[in-house]
Amino acid sequence: MNLELLDEIYNELYAYISLPIHETAFTNGKSIFVMNEDGSDTDGFAEWLIFNYRNTDQKRMIDLFRLPSEDEMNSVLLNALKKSFRSIFDVKIERGQVYLKDIFTNDDYLVSSTLLEADRLVSARLITVDGENAIVGDTFEMDTFYLESVRKYLLDQYNQFVQTNGMMSLTDFLDLNGHLLYKVMTILTQVEEENSDSDELVLYQATYAFNCPMDILYDRLLNLSLPVFSDEDEEPILRVMKEDDIVAEIEITNGQFYVLCNNASHREMMHGVISEILDETIVFLKDDVFSLEDLL
């Protein structure tokens, strides 16, 4: 397989979808793909737009793409890209060879030219040319600890879809709803980062309500007894620190704010800190504990 030529075609696809004539597709695609209010969950959007997004004629961007030079090798690789698919795989290495097991279909694929680690989950796009499999595009790796949670979440989504829309193969469902594969990996990455120093893979949340002006709320939060920093890249999120440790993140929405902690002791600490600013305009509502399945 000519991987260098494959990369060139892949890069040309990225340039193609960036043309001004595709502005409407970009806008419509983001309304489907982007789920976070702050628009931060864009990892994988360009690839999804190329391979999964359908226009009003049910055509994908890759179906509309034409290569400048359509010699035999270019045509073979482009057709293989059209048939490529993204899934989540369990990585195994046997006798120096890398195998990917699709966690949904249990199909195994021998993959050439890859540097993946064994016993990891990887979200990857697989292409087959003349019986040889390779990975193209971005990969997202995660611990196999999450395998059952990921599989359960996506199979639940599939079953709900089938009950509402009628029978469809799981493969076709993942193609039409490819954004879910990226959503899962984004959530898992956040969970793994937040719990990297914790034995418990859960999120401890305290919810407060406020009816004071936003600038007054910010002023009070930024003057808590623990240092509080505003995240310029992820507003309106505040980070509460104690020495070099992140004790909590505070997310502010309309009329409420959420104190998010990686363990119960940090949440109790934050209850004490926030009690300093409680009054008739800022009140505690409830505590919650979310597991990985809840977050998915």
Side-chain angles (χ1 to χ4, degrees), residues 9-210:
I9 296 174
Y10 203 77
N11 289 334
E12 288 183 32
L13 278 164
Y14 271 78
Y16 174 71
I17 65 171
S18 300
L19 295 174
I21 58 172
H22 298 132
E23 183 177 351
T24 299
F26 244 88
T27 302
N28 292 341
K30 281 194 171 181
S31 69
I32 299 171
F33 188 94
V34 177
M35 299 181 180
N36 291 352
E37 290 184 6
D38 61 1
S40 60
D41 56 329
T42 56
D43 286 348
F45 171 71
E47 183 193 280
W48 173 84
L49 191 67
I50 292 170
F51 293 99
N52 299 103
Y53 172 77
R54 265 79 171 173
N55 63 16
T56 53
D57 296 325
Q58 295 302 300
K59 293 290 186 180
R60 301 178 301 165
M61 301 290 275
I62 193 171
D63 296 325
L64 303 174
F65 175 71
R66 296 292 180 270
L67 282 166
S69 172
E70 295 193 7
D71 60 30
E72 183 177 355
M73 181 54 69
N74 278 345
S75 297
V76 167
L77 291 178
L78 180 57
N79 286 331
L81 276 171
K82 290 179 180 179
K83 298 175 183 178
S84 68
F85 70 98
R86 177 170 287 275
S87 190
I88 298 176
F89 304 92
D90 189 7
V91 182
K92 300 297 181 184
I93 299 180
E94 299 177 8
R95 298 179 182 177
Q97 293 185 308
V98 180
Y99 293 87
L100 302 182
K101 178 179 283 292
D102 191 313
I103 70 169
F104 305 111
T105 66
N106 287 323
D107 291 333
D108 292 302
Y109 301 90
L110 173 63
V111 182
S112 61
S113 302
T114 183
L115 299 175
L116 296 175
E117 295 182 28
D119 301 318
R120 297 278 286 173
L121 289 184
V122 60
S123 172
R125 175 163 293 275
L126 202 63
I127 183 172
T128 303
V129 180
D130 295 330
E132 182 181 0
N133 303 311
I135 289 175
V136 62
D138 294 328
T139 59
F140 305 88
E141 294 187 46
M142 195 56 51
D143 196 294
T144 54
F145 174 89
Y146 303 108
L147 191 153
E148 290 305 324
S149 294
V150 170
R151 181 156 49 199
K152 179 180 182 300
Y153 167 73
L154 284 165
L155 289 178
D156 285 347
Q157 295 295 310
Y158 169 64
N159 290 330
Q160 292 175 30
F161 180 90
V162 168
Q163 290 174 9
T164 303
N165 300 280
M167 283 303 300
M168 173 183 288
S169 71
L170 178 59
T171 301
D172 287 342
F173 169 79
L174 292 176
D175 176 42
L176 289 173
N177 298 274
H179 60 288
L180 295 177
L181 293 171
Y182 299 100
K183 177 189 176 185
V184 165
M185 298 312 291
T186 297
I187 292 174
L188 290 184
T189 298
Q190 293 172 347
V191 169
E192 190 164 77
E193 288 175 352
E194 291 169 356
N195 292 280
S196 59
D197 298 321
S198 174
D199 293 330
E200 297 179 277
L201 294 172
V202 294
L203 183 69
Y204 293 82
Q205 176 177 292
T207 303
Y208 294 82
F210 68 94

